[in-house]
């Protein structure tokens, strides 16, 4: 009886060790998308009234948890009964990520028009502000859903050869980490300026250490969000390129001489630019038919 109990403990320890190792690998694989998720949500959660930033972020966080609850069971069912679908979803998701990254770069270069973003206006009524807030939350949750699918599928792709128990624990851990980690950091970022103002108002001196730190935090917020947007765009193309290179054998076999990250970035950008071109053509044809 005792030997059976210790054997069970040994099996559990081995399983948890396997889960820990695979979770580390899966976290590395999904880091690029997590970076973009962080950049996207930091931008979407900022620009509100100070007292509305946290409620807006909490609404998006709850939507993100709901997204994961919907996605995870379907992902495990596909892995168990139709594993080939995982690769197809990965590639389709890669096309979307490449499109997003290339579109941002083409907008920055002036090749495409920037998407119009409706900002808060001091003349808006409370009803208009709440409507805008609701629209932004909805848009953020939709974006989170797409990114969550990719996070879950990429994480699942690292453990497809493991038993289902390991798959469930690893992918669920990554999904929870993605939500808590991303939105926790976003909360800290969007409150940087408020914390800075509190430091500035901490004493009446105009040149104190707290004033300097406070001004630094207030002035740094826009730059932090811009930097995250740039890093997120690069991460999108690297993740997309990595998906294509590792799942399309022709690309993997014919570009061995190109360094890994350079190859993934170029492949992601090329696929993204082609997708942008097709989308633009489709939009023009659809407008003509209208």
């Amino acid at each position: 009886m005792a030997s059976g109990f210790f054997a069970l403990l040994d099996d559990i320890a081995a399983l948890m060790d396997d889960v820990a190792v695979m979770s580390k690998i899966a976290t590395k694989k999904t880091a690029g998308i997590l970076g973009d998720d962080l950049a996207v949500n930091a931008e979407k959660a900022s620009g509100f009234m100070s007292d509305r930033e946290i409620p807006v972020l909490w609404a998006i966080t709850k939507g993100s948890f709901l997204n994961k609850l919907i996605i995870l069971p379907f992902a495990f069912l596909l892995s168990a009964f139709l594993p080939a679908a995982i690769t197809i979803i990965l590639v389709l998701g890669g096309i979307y990520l490449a499109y997003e990254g290339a579109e941002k770069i083409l907008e920055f270069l002036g090749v495409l028009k920037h998407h119009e973003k409706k900002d808060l206006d001091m003349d808006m009524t409370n009803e208009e502000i709440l409507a805008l807030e609701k629209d932004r939350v909805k848009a953020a949750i939709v974006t989170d859903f797409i990114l969550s699918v990719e996070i879950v599928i990429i994480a699942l792709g690292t453990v497809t050869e493991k038993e289902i128990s390991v798959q469930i624990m690893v992918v669920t851990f990554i999904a929870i980490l993605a939500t808590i980690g991303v939105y926790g950091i976003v909360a800290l970022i969007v409150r940087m300026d408020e914390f800075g103002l509190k430091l500035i108002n901490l004493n009446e001196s105009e040149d104190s250490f707290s004033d300097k730190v406070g001004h630094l935090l207030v002035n740094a917020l826009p730059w932090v969000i811009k930097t995250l947007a740039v890093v997120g765009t690069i991460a999108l193309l690297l993740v997309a390129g990595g998906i294509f290179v590792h799942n399309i054998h022709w690309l993997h076999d014919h570009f061995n001489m190109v360094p890994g990250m350079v190859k993934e970035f170029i492949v992601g950008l090329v696929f993204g630019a082609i997708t942008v071109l097709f989308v633009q053509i489709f939009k023009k044809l659809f407008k003509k038919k209208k």
Side-chain angles (χ1 to χ4, degrees):
M1 180 70 74
S3 61
F5 176 73
F6 285 115
L8 176 63
L9 285 180
D10 188 54
D11 288 341
I12 293 171
L15 176 64
M16 295 311 295
D17 186 55
D18 205 11
V19 169
V21 171
M22 296 312 299
S23 295
K24 188 177 179 181
I25 295 169
T27 303
K28 286 182 179 178
K29 292 279 188 182
T30 56
I33 298 182
L34 292 177
D36 184 66
D37 204 4
L38 177 61
V40 168
N41 286 293
E43 188 178 2
K44 288 186 182 295
S46 60
F48 292 99
M49 298 295 184
S50 177
D51 60 339
R52 293 301 302 161
E53 284 177 340
I54 295 301
V56 165
L57 191 56
W58 176 237
I60 299 171
T61 305
K62 288 189 290 185
S64 179
F65 271 118
L66 182 60
N67 285 340
K68 306 294 192 302
L69 285 174
I70 295 168
I71 294 164
L72 284 170
F74 283 103
F76 296 136
L77 286 171
L78 284 175
S79 180
F81 299 107
L82 197 61
I86 299 295
T87 302
I88 295 169
I89 294 170
L90 261 178
V91 173
L92 290 174
I95 292 171
Y96 170 78
L97 295 174
Y99 168 78
E100 284 284 302
E103 186 183 42
K104 288 176 183 178
I105 288 176
L106 292 171
E107 284 179 356
F108 176 77
L109 294 174
V111 178
L112 293 177
K113 288 183 179 178
H114 283 271
H115 291 302
E116 289 184 9
K117 182 183 174 183
K118 192 175 181 183
D119 293 317
L120 289 175
D121 193 324
M122 295 300 291
D123 296 327
M124 282 183 172
T125 63
N126 286 335
E127 289 76 16
E128 289 173 331
I129 291 171
L130 288 173
L132 177 60
E133 186 179 295
K134 191 175 180 180
D135 287 342
R136 282 204 194 169
V137 168
K138 197 178 294 183
I141 292 172
V142 170
T143 303
D144 178 273
F145 183 86
I146 296 165
L147 292 172
S148 294
V149 169
E150 278 304 289
I151 289 167
V152 168
I153 295 299
I154 289 174
L156 192 57
T158 63
V159 289
T160 47
E161 295 180 1
K162 298 289 182 179
E163 55 269 27
I164 191 67
S165 58
V166 174
Q167 291 182 23
I168 290 172
M169 282 189 278
V170 169
V171 179
T172 302
F173 170 76
I174 296 297
I176 294 170
L177 177 68
T179 304
I180 295 174
V182 166
Y183 291 102
I185 295 171
V186 169
L188 292 174
I189 290 171
V190 298
R191 300 304 288 178
M192 266 178 63
D193 54 348
E194 282 299 310
F195 183 61
L197 285 172
K198 286 185 178 180
L199 287 176
I200 293 168
N201 296 326
L202 197 61
N203 54 64
E204 295 180 1
S205 175
E206 294 184 0
D207 197 30
S208 63
F209 177 74
S210 62
D211 276 10
K212 289 177 181 177
V213 175
H215 284 296
L216 177 65
L217 291 174
V218 171
N219 295 326
L221 179 59
W223 290 101
V224 169
I225 292 175
K226 286 178 183 177
T227 302
L228 282 172
V230 173
V231 172
T233 300
I234 294 169
L236 276 177
L237 294 172
L238 286 173
V239 171
I243 290 170
F244 300 138
V245 168
H246 292 106
N247 291 283
I248 300 174
H249 296 296
W250 185 86
L251 290 172
H252 188 270
D253 296 337
H254 286 77
F255 294 95
N256 289 328
M257 70 296 296
V258 183
M261 285 186 69
V262 175
K263 175 169 60 179
E264 290 170 3
F265 181 82
I266 292 171
V267 169
L269 184 58
V270 169
F271 270 77
I274 293 169
T275 309
V276 169
L277 178 62
F278 274 105
V279 169
Q280 292 301 313
I281 291 170
F282 177 79
K283 282 181 178 178
K284 286 181 180 179
L285 290 173
F286 184 73
K287 281 182 180 178
K288 284 182 180 178
K289 283 184 179 180
K290 268 193 169 183

